[in-house]
Amino acid sequence: MKIEYTPIGVIHTPFKELENMPIQPAGAKGIQGMIEIFKEYRDGLKDLEGFSHIILLYHFHHSQGFKLHVVPFMDTEMRGLFATRAPKRPNPIGLSVVELDKIENGLLYIRNVDILDGTPLLDIKPYVPEFDTPTDIRLGWLEKVRKTVSHRKSDDRFK
Amino acid sequence: MKIEYTPIGVIHTPFKELENMPIQPAGAKGIQGMIEIFKEYRDGLKDLEGFSHIILLYHFHHSQGFKLHVVPFMDTEMRGLFATRAPKRPNPIGLSVVELDKIENGLLYIRNVDILDGTPLLDIKPYVPEFDTPTDIRLGWLEKVRKTVSHRKSDDRFK
């Protein structure tokens, strides 16, 4: 079974290469980006500006192939791919929760951006705590390192 | 630009038709499901069991075409599609945060499932509050109705 998607826009950010990027929005506080939504989809942006945070789903367009075991940026041990957020996935879909500043003429001005410049956007969803924020969390291998995420940067390991 | 994905597994749930489903995991408390990960991807599940909650990205396989304005289950007014979680999207990717009970032989036993039976799974990511939970949230049109989500059910409007 093949599933075919078409980008609805492009994400513009200050990050022109894979190295030295923040590895999550938590490490990208204040970094601004801009999303260009293609004309034919702009009508769907109505009412979105009321939300302070949005979920972006996008295609890791620089990710070639996948590996089922990776050493994540936040660790020194091999981990199962699905227990990480590494980009080399069977379906390389990225997910980031970013802050929405404003929308003007089909352009979304966003903040806390950890995404590579030129990334094709697949979907936008409003972030809703009642849907998206569980309680009583356990974090596996990430438990020890979770507090350090805002200081970490990417390197070239997932090229 | 076309992007092609291939399912990594199938989600099995008690929901055989689109009507009368919980509309989000918050309304599906305790409802159990099971994900079958295809053999060739099972090695990537290592370390995942340490996480209490996982993010599922899946293909809304019963969604045909899209509409840029919809009346969401939680509202009576037309809203811009991207300000809702409705399934009829240009790229019909669903996102649910569910609880992970255990993993056995490539089967993931999950809880709080709001997903249709037979749904093709695209990706699994560990849920990490530092990445996925922003603060200082504004919720637009959903602000008034957010507390009622756990009582609401779907109907046939997105067939």
Side-chain angles (χ1 to χ4, degrees), chain A residues 114-144:
Chain A
D114 64 331
I115 302 167
L116 195 67
D117 188 49
T119 293
L121 179 70
L122 295 173
D123 199 11
I124 301 177
K125 300 180 192 295
Y127 174 84
V128 183
E130 279 74 7
F131 302 169
D132 302 313
T133 308
T135 50
D136 299 325
I137 306 290
R138 267 181 308 110
L139 282 177
W141 67 269
L142 258 168
E143 197 71 64
K144 285 193 307 257

Side-chain angles (χ1 to χ4, degrees), chain B residues 73-159:
Chain B
F73 291 131
M74 299 184 61
D75 204 359
T76 53
E77 275 183 54
M78 288 286 251
R79 303 292 178 185
L81 174 74
F82 298 118
T84 79
R85 304 287 280 255
K88 289 204 166 194
R89 318 180 77 78
N91 298 307
I93 306 176
L95 181 166
S96 295
V97 180
V98 298
E99 198 171 335
L100 177 62
D101 278 345
K102 62 176 176 178
I103 303 179
E104 275 176 17
N105 304 318
L107 301 179
L108 279 67
Y109 293 84
I110 56 174
R111 201 179 283 263
N112 309 341
V113 180
D114 64 331
I115 302 167
L116 195 67
D117 188 48
T119 293
L121 180 69
L122 295 174
D123 199 11
I124 301 177
K125 301 180 192 294
Y127 174 85
V128 183
E130 279 74 8
F131 302 168
D132 303 311
T133 308
T135 49
D136 298 326
I137 306 289
R138 266 183 307 113
L139 282 176
W141 68 268
L142 259 167
E143 196 71 65
K144 285 192 308 251
V145 288
R146 60 193 288 203
K147 300 298 181 205
T148 71
V149 62
S150 58
H151 315 301
R152 303 220 177 199
K153 299 278 183 205
S154 67
D155 53 38
D156 64 357
R157 74 181 74 177
F158 296 123
K159 252 195 168 164

Side-chain angles (χ1 to χ4, degrees), chain A residues 22-29 95-98 111-114, chain B residues 130-131:
Chain A
I23 59 172
Q24 285 289 336
K29 281 264 180 287
L95 182 165
S96 295
V97 180
V98 299
R111 201 179 283 262
N112 309 341
V113 180
D114 64 331
Chain B
E130 279 74 8
F131 302 168

Side-chain angles (χ1 to χ4, degrees), chain A residues 23-24 26 72-77 79 83 139-152, chain B residues 51 128 130-131:
Chain A
I23 59 172
Q24 285 289 336
F73 291 130
M74 301 184 62
D75 205 358
T76 53
E77 275 183 55
R79 302 293 178 185
L139 282 177
W141 67 269
L142 258 168
E143 197 71 64
K144 285 193 307 257
V145 289
R146 60 193 288 204
K147 300 298 179 202
T148 71
V149 62
S150 57
H151 315 301
R152 305 221 176 198
Chain B
F51 292 84
V128 183
E130 279 74 8
F131 302 168

Side-chain angles (χ1 to χ4, degrees), chain A residues 5 52 59 93 124-125 138, chain B residues 5 52 59 93 125 138:
Chain A
Y5 293 139
S52 59
H59 182 65
I93 306 176
I124 301 177
K125 300 180 192 295
R138 267 181 308 110
Chain B
Y5 294 137
S52 59
H59 181 64
I93 306 176
K125 301 180 192 294
R138 266 183 307 113

